[in-house]
Amino acid sequence: MDSTGTVLTAVILGPVYGAMVGIISNILISFLSDSHLYFSIINAFIGLIVGVIAKKFKFNICNNCRLNYRNNVANNGSSYIYNINRRFQRRYYR
C-alpha cells in the first residue's frame, strides 16, 4: 500500500518522478519509524520499473479505466450467475 502513490506518479509523470516520490515518501515516513528508510531504494526501483514499463507499453489512465470497467462487468456477471446457481441449489437440493 505504501507504493500506490509511487506507481501512480510513475505512470502519469514518468520513471524519474516515480522514483523521486518513492524516495521522498519513505524519507518522510522514516521520521515515524526508522525501518522505512531502508526501503526507500526499493520504492525508487519500483517507480523506475513501473515508469519504464508504462512508457514502453503506452499505458495511460484512459486505457486502464476501460480495462477496469470491462473486468468489473465480467466479474459482476459471473458472480451474479454464481449466486443464482447457489439459490437454485439451496432451494431444490436440501
Side-chain angles (χ1 to χ4, degrees), residues 30-41:
S30 71
F31 289 125
L32 301 174
S33 171
D34 291 336
S35 63
H36 286 280
L37 186 61
Y38 303 116
F39 292 105
S40 63
I41 196 74

Side-chain angles (χ1 to χ4, degrees), residues 14-31:
V16 175
Y17 292 108
M20 287 187 339
V21 166
I23 291 171
I24 292 170
S25 66
N26 276 342
I27 288 173
L28 292 175
I29 293 172
S30 71
F31 289 125

Side-chain angles (χ1 to χ4, degrees), residues 7-8 11-12 58-72:
V7 169
L8 189 63
V11 168
I12 294 173
K58 308 259 188 287
F59 182 84
N60 62 25
I61 298 301
C62 294
N63 288 340
N64 187 27
C65 291
R66 277 185 249 144
L67 182 64
N68 284 338
Y69 178 74
R70 281 187 233 141
N71 288 341
N72 287 336

Side-chain angles (χ1 to χ4, degrees), residues 71-84:
N71 288 341
N72 287 336
V73 168
N75 289 337
N76 289 338
S78 63
S79 69
Y80 181 72
I81 292 169
Y82 175 76
N83 286 331
I84 288 175

